[in-house]
Amino acid sequence: MQYSETVMDHFKNPRNKGKVKNPDGTGEVGNPICGDVIAITIKVKDECIADIKFNTFGCGAATAVASVVTDLAKGKTLKQAMEITKQDVAKILGELPKNELHCTNLGADALHMAIIDYYNRKAGKQKDTPKEKVDHIGKRKGKCYCPY
């Protein structure tokens, strides 16, 4: 199956790539099975996403998903951004190969994690360590082989 023109456009010309300086919130999520990782950083002003950027490690679909998610969220209120779903992303990108559909989850999840991190920082809460965030797979003799 070939990627849609929209997927290819966002892969070749990603929007909002990079990292926000002094972010107000960060969210990173990955799939330990395929190795795709999306990290999103946000800057918040007046409860709106004033700036948003992403970095990815993985397939072209992961880059396209992160590009679309950041485009959708930029300028939105935090409440509106929390309502962005994988279905919203999939609708814009069109059909993805079945083995890459999980990427639509990664983008929305990373965005939501960045917003939650913003609220946690605002409330003075400490960020969870990666061990608390994910179940580690592939443990052999006490060693973890997942990307976390």
Side-chain angles (χ1 to χ4, degrees), residues 16 18-28 39-45 47-55 69-71 73-79 81-82 107 110-121 127:
N16 310 305
K19 184 177 181 182
V20 172
K21 285 187 179 185
N22 301 313
D24 294 320
T26 61
E28 183 176 314
I40 291 180
T41 51
I42 59 172
K43 191 59 120 175
V44 178
K45 184 176 181 184
E47 292 298 301
C48 291
I49 296 180
D51 196 10
I52 184 168
K53 299 208 180 294
F54 77 91
N55 280 307
V69 165
T70 56
D71 251 5
K74 196 169 198 173
K76 298 269 193 303
T77 66
L78 296 173
K79 183 177 186 247
M82 283 297 282
L111 171 63
H112 299 159
M113 286 176 71
I115 294 168
I116 291 166
D117 182 48
Y118 163 75
Y119 283 124
N120 285 341
R121 289 180 189 200
K127 192 170 184 169

Side-chain angles (χ1 to χ4, degrees), residues 2-3 33 35 68 131:
Q2 284 188 310
Y3 289 125
I33 295 170
V68 166
K131 287 182 183 178

Side-chain angles (χ1 to χ4, degrees), residues 70-91:
T70 56
D71 251 5
L72 285 171
K74 196 169 198 173
K76 298 269 193 303
T77 66
L78 296 173
K79 183 177 186 247
Q80 291 169 327
M82 283 297 282
E83 293 172 356
I84 294 171
T85 66
K86 67 177 185 174
Q87 289 84 2
D88 297 328
V89 177
K91 186 176 180 181

